[in-house]
Amino acid sequence: MEIKRVNEQIAKVRLHGPGPSDVPASVLDALSARTIGHLDPDFLRVMDQTQEMLRAVFQTKNRMTIPVSGTGSSGMEALVANLVEPGDRVAVVRNGVFGGRIADEIARFGGEVLEISLEWGTTVEPEQVKKALSSKKCQALFLVHAETSTGAHQQHMKEIADIVHEHGAIFLVDCVTSLGGAEVKVDEWGIDAAYSGTQKCLSVPPGLAPITLNERAMEKLRKRETPVQSWYFDLTMIEQYWTEGVSRKYHHTAPVNMIFALHEGLRLILEEGLEAVFERHRKNAAALQAGLESLGLRYVVEKPEHRLPMLHAVFLPEGHEEGKLRKRLRTEFKVEVGGGLGEFAGKAWRVGLMGHSSREEKVQALLRDIQSVLCVRPVGPV
Ligand SMILES: *Cc1c(COP(=O)(O)O)cnc(C)c1O
């Protein structure tokens, strides 16, 4: 049996789906750096720097800010396993696929879910949070900041955090898709714990889940009456490996090269500057939106101010088969866009401009390719 090397088998595809996004060459370089020991002094220095840069990107001073070993979902599992005790009640905003997964996860860890169910493509209003939390005592509220299945951008984060705290609960946030592409102000907004992933706007390959927990969340963890139900994600143990100046106690072998890659991805973002990065995402999103709308695609999220800059969920014009066109984009034009998820399967596309994929020249090329497969002339200027 002759099997070719992977490098000889993969096409040069531009990534414009819901993740992974295009990875910069220097991040791939970092990934292929020489593997060293997970307790090597050089690695410990890289760990410290990675934590420092993660805090900058999360806009937090939280000591407990680390990359969890695993994709974005492992960040969700780490938060739920550590911060939800059996019998806890958690209010979950469900306005797309990912809110649904969080609810499922909480139930599996013995929590009781109080669902705040919304129409897909919309976001939650502070009043709705207040109403839910007043109806039943909850220990936490969980929401998705950037719903990748619908393209909805949650607003009023600080107001919601205040309401959650007034009700004696903690505020937990999924910012997998937003981190590194739009503001995520963990401290200023009052988020108690959040998780993200590397392959969306951080433009690092999939494989790590940055998380951050403040003192309020850590206290809830320390006061648990039952042990954390997951050995692998038990932060009371993982903490001892990630704390500077402490014993660096072995828990599991850190994915050394993935952390090198994350280090470089974060370094690039901070070198460009967070504000500049967010502005680039906004500008390219506006150009893509104008182009898509002129080609007759309609946004799932009706209110323009509630649309994400890094993920555009759009319905195709009548008479177009989304799966077929998406396949043509991949085979003929070497570009990947995502299909609809959940309620929107077979009806919509999810077009991503995440991180390194959000570049002016890439947006123009993408619009040209989409125009070609749709065989339509734009109405108005593109
Ligand atoms: C991608 C995504 C996840 C899951 O991340 P994986 O890396 O696929 O495990 C969770 N939440 C949101 C909002 C996402 O977009």
Side-chain angles (χ1 to χ4, degrees), residues 112-132:
E112 189 191 319
V113 175
L114 175 67
E115 257 187 38
I116 305 176
S117 257
L118 305 175
E119 201 181 318
W120 282 38
T122 67
T123 57
V124 77
E125 292 297 324
E127 275 309 311
Q128 294 171 295
V129 172
K130 195 180 268 178
K131 202 173 142 211

Side-chain angles (χ1 to χ4, degrees), residues 130-148:
K130 195 180 268 178
K131 202 173 142 211
L133 294 182
S134 307
S135 73
K136 271 183 176 170
K137 173 79 187 159
C138 291
Q139 277 69 41
L141 175 104
F142 218 133
L143 61 73
V144 179
H145 184 223
E147 229 326 323
T148 322

Side-chain angles (χ1 to χ4, degrees), residues 269-304:
I269 287 173
L270 295 172
E271 189 177 70
E272 183 177 351
L274 278 185
E275 255 323 304
V277 168
F278 300 154
E279 180 54 26
R280 171 163 57 80
H281 279 82
R282 276 194 295 269
K283 215 172 123 213
N284 291 328
L288 181 72
Q289 179 176 307
L292 291 178
E293 286 183 331
S294 79
L295 293 171
L297 291 104
R298 184 169 62 80
Y299 274 73
V300 166
V301 177
E302 282 169 17
K303 287 188 184 160

Side-chain angles (χ1 to χ4, degrees), residues 64 75-86 88-90 106 109 111 139-142 170-173 191-195 211-224 226 228-229 233-236:
M64 188 51 158
M76 167 179 77
E77 190 138 327
L79 256 55
V80 172
N82 286 273
L83 299 177
V84 178
E85 270 200 89
D88 275 1
R89 190 181 293 121
V90 183
I106 290 168
F109 277 91
Q139 277 69 41
L141 175 104
F142 218 133
I170 56 171
F171 186 30
L172 310 177
V173 177
I191 296 171
D192 295 301
Y195 68 95
I211 62 166
T212 186
L213 284 79
N214 69 8
E215 267 313 303
R216 194 185 279 123
M218 290 304 287
E219 194 178 299
K220 182 161 185 349
L221 169 58
R222 290 195 194 99
K223 284 190 174 156
R224 285 180 68 106
T226 54
V228 175
Q229 300 279 297
F233 293 123
D234 186 338
L235 292 175
T236 63

Side-chain angles (χ1 to χ4, degrees), residues 335-361:
V335 58
E336 174 180 286
V337 301
L341 209 56
E343 284 184 21
F344 301 134
K347 297 180 195 160
W349 275 351
R350 290 181 302 146
V351 183
L353 296 183
M354 297 180 169
H356 192 53
S357 293
S358 175
R359 304 273 167 205
E360 198 180 335
E361 64 284 4

Side-chain angles (χ1 to χ4, degrees), residues 203-262:
S203 283
V204 170
L208 291 174
I211 62 166
T212 186
L213 284 79
N214 69 8
E215 267 313 303
R216 194 185 279 123
M218 290 304 287
E219 194 178 299
K220 182 161 185 349
L221 169 58
R222 290 195 194 99
K223 284 190 174 156
R224 285 180 68 106
E225 284 169 10
T226 54
V228 175
Q229 300 279 297
S230 160
W231 185 90
Y232 194 71
F233 293 123
D234 186 338
L235 292 175
T236 63
M237 294 196 285
I238 294 172
E239 185 185 21
Q240 298 178 43
Y241 172 61
W242 276 95
T243 308
E244 201 183 341
V246 176
S247 57
R248 297 288 186 183
K249 206 169 154 206
Y250 165 67
H251 177 261
H252 66 271
T253 310
V256 170
N257 287 60
M258 268 310 296
I259 289 168
F260 290 164
L262 175 60

